[in-house]
Amino acid sequence: MTESIWVSRPADLYGRRDRDRLGTVLCGIRALFDGFTSVSRWEPSRVKPVRRMQSAVVTKREFVAPDVIALTLAAVDGGLLPSWTPGGHIDVVLPSGRRRQYSLCGPPGRRTDYRIAIRRIADGGGGSIEMHDAFGVDDTLTFEGPRNAFYLGTAERDVLFVIGGIGVTPILPMIAVAQQRGTNWRAIYAGRSREYMPLLDEVVSVAPDRVRVWADDERGGVATAGDLLAGAGPATAVYVCGPSGMLDAVRLARKEHASAPMHYERFSPPPVVNGVPFELELARSCRVLNVPADRSALAVMLDHDPTTPYSCQQGFCGTCKVKVLAGQADHRGRVAVGDDEMLVCVSRAQAGRLVIEA
Ligand code: FES
């Protein structure tokens, strides 16, 4: 429980070296609503993911940290946007054709507008920079969703939320709902300084006595897993959203309570587990790429062609799906694909060489 959360971590707490969110995300709701739905009117039930593309207009753009903008989005016709649940996200289609996922971080279930927040990542895949530069007030944006892979459970009565930097976005609506339900919840929000912790005031304002703030510059260093999990017992449900190092450290520390509920969302690709090297032949460009044991096929493809499509990098959005023309794929994704398809962000070759239509 004393392991530093930064051990072996390629990016800092704020995800500045992580690729753009990409990322992942949870809870049930039915949105009743005839307009904005306040927390007190929120009722849990599953919402069907919305698969069609739709448009929204940016009605507000503000900085919520020096490197984080929040965009408020409304339906172009002034009507209601699709229902969503805390932890849900939308897939934004950028002018370049890139797709990126952003958690909805406005009041839970609100349908008159959505809010998303984007950290500018200088050395990411370019999506966050495009989001910052391309969209101002009155611009129209295309998105798909909402979808949710990071649901807030309805039966958990003792909950700890662990937040790292921009990981606040899916957690903030969860906290609001937990408070409304009367859940015994606590949260720890960690970041390098309060200034660089987006939406901190909103988190604290839900219930100041339930929120611990870990600002590295005040505490004299980064939080350990023990710091983050202080007070969490075997029956405590832990929800974590932040950079990979934080997630991995918390997961490792929670192994001592193997049956305890733990939920998390990544903003960066998971590490490759039990990978073996293989060759990836790109049929269209007649290139053969060597995929090492510790890298994904997508990462290697991006070295070759930075415009290779991807979004979540975790095998659940389907954006990186390609056709397999020869060879046996080792499927590791969470969405179903055809026998002759694979998700290059997580799936690999069973052995030897894979030939894909790319
Ligand atoms: S990028 Fe989402 S499934 Fe591969």
Side-chain angles (χ1 to χ4, degrees), residues 237-283:
V238 177
Y239 289 78
V240 194
C241 194
S244 292
M246 170 184 275
L247 293 182
D248 295 340
V250 169
R251 288 175 67 195
L252 192 65
R254 287 298 280 177
K255 274 191 174 169
E256 68 183 81
H257 303 306
S259 60
M262 178 169 165
H263 315 270
Y264 60 92
E265 172 167 276
R266 289 182 184 276
F267 283 157
S268 56
V272 177
V273 176
N274 296 329
V276 292
F278 64 98
E279 291 178 341
L280 188 67
E281 182 176 332
L282 311 182

Side-chain angles (χ1 to χ4, degrees), residues 310-313 315-318 320 345:
Y310 72 88
S311 184
C312 73
Q313 295 192 86
F316 67 79
C317 75
C320 68
C345 65

Side-chain angles (χ1 to χ4, degrees), residues 5-6 9 11-16 163-166 190-192 214 216 222 242-243 246:
I5 64 175
W6 313 126
R9 189 164 62 83
D12 69 10
L13 177 60
Y14 320 101
R16 284 170 296 183
I163 304 166
I166 195 67
R192 61 178 146 140
W214 186 289
D216 302 347
V222 297
M246 170 184 275

Side-chain angles (χ1 to χ4, degrees), residues 309-333:
Y310 72 88
S311 184
C312 73
Q313 295 192 86
Q314 296 166 71
F316 67 79
C317 75
T319 306
C320 68
K321 185 168 67 181
V322 297
K323 220 169 215 7
V324 178
L325 304 176
Q328 285 295 314
D330 170 14
H331 295 291
R332 300 185 178 194

Side-chain angles (χ1 to χ4, degrees), residues 6 104 123 129 153 178 195 208 219-220 248 291 296 300 304 312 317:
W6 313 126
L104 299 176
D123 55 354
I129 293 174
E195 182 187 16
R219 304 272 189 161
D248 295 340
V291 181
S296 69
V300 176
H304 165 67
C312 73
C317 75

